Amino acid sequence: DDFRKTVIMVILATDMKVHFELVDKIEAVAEAMDRAREQMGEPDASVARCMSTCELLMDRDFSADRALVLKSMVHAGDVSNPALPMHLAKAWAYRVVMEFHAQAEQEKSEGLPCAPFMEPHPDETLPFAKLQIGFISHVVRPYWLQIVRILPGLRDRVEQLEENLKVWETIVAEEEGSSAA
């Protein structure tokens, strides 16, 4: 019964309506863990930091945060495609935007309003790239920056995310430059 509740809890945490709440809560846990590490006099080395994250989560002072970390890890996976190598990130982004586009088309055909960001087809390079920049800048990056504070072993994902953001920004610059010419 506990396992079932945990699975349901972490699945519900993938809902984007709780995203910004998770960012705030993870930031608070990261700050508390940083204070606890300072009190322990622990060096800030990545391996030691990761080990102490596990140890801290087992500590009774942080036991309530275990569920939050589980929810956050699953949600991080849910919004992780921009943190994958670019060829994979682009392929997953294409699929997601195609799904958005199909939903927008369906909503329009039924006379329903649709979100403007869902309308462009992913083959439209400029809006596709701008959508990725917005998603990374306002949703994924702030979240992952907090995740790596408690799980520093994932820092390479943030580095990949930053690289991908630069690629999308280059695509936008090139597209806007070619359309201005």
Side-chain angles (χ1 to χ4, degrees):
D1 194 43
D2 285 343
F3 177 77
R4 183 178 186 279
K5 287 178 184 175
T6 301
V7 169
I8 291 169
M9 172 192 66
V10 298
I11 290 171
L12 291 175
T14 63
D15 191 327
M16 287 304 292
K17 73 179 179 185
V18 300
H19 173 82
F20 294 102
E21 178 185 336
L22 280 174
V23 173
D24 292 342
K25 286 181 177 180
I26 283 295
E27 182 176 20
V29 168
E31 288 170 2
M33 286 182 168
D34 287 345
R35 285 191 300 277
R37 282 188 192 98
E38 286 173 19
Q39 291 172 354
M40 292 178 352
E42 183 179 301
D44 196 20
S46 185
V47 172
R49 189 176 170 118
C50 185
M51 292 292 289
S52 65
T53 295
C54 296
E55 291 166 6
L56 284 171
L57 286 172
M58 293 301 121
D59 186 277
R60 66 180 171 82
D61 292 340
F62 289 97
S63 62
D65 299 319
R66 284 185 218 137
L68 174 64
V69 171
L70 282 174
K71 290 191 287 188
S72 298
M73 290 169 56
V74 172
H75 184 64
D78 195 44
V79 295
S80 69
N81 73 295
L84 296 172
M86 188 59 179
H87 72 283
L88 295 172
K90 192 172 185 180
W92 278 109
Y94 188 93
R95 289 178 183 105
V96 170
V97 173
M98 192 65 211
E99 186 178 327
F100 287 167
H101 175 72
Q103 181 178 335
E105 292 298 308
Q106 179 69 34
E107 289 170 349
K108 286 192 288 190
S109 75
E110 294 177 15
L112 299 170
C114 64
F117 75 89
M118 294 176 73
E119 292 184 80
H121 192 282
D123 289 338
E124 297 174 41
T125 303
L126 185 59
F128 179 58
K130 285 183 173 183
L131 182 60
Q132 297 316 300
I133 290 170
F135 183 56
I136 292 169
S137 300
H138 301 291
V139 177
V140 180
R141 187 174 183 271
Y143 188 72
W144 274 84
L145 288 175
Q146 297 309 317
I147 290 294
V148 298
R149 288 181 66 195
I150 61 167
L151 299 168
L154 297 174
R155 188 161 307 283
D156 65 325
R157 296 300 86 217
V158 173
E159 291 166 4
Q160 183 67 60
L161 181 70
E162 299 291 355
E163 286 179 34
N164 292 350
L165 178 58
K166 288 176 187 169
V167 170
W168 290 117
E169 290 169 340
T170 300
I171 291 169
V172 167
E174 289 172 355
E175 287 292 314
E176 288 178 339
S178 68
S179 66

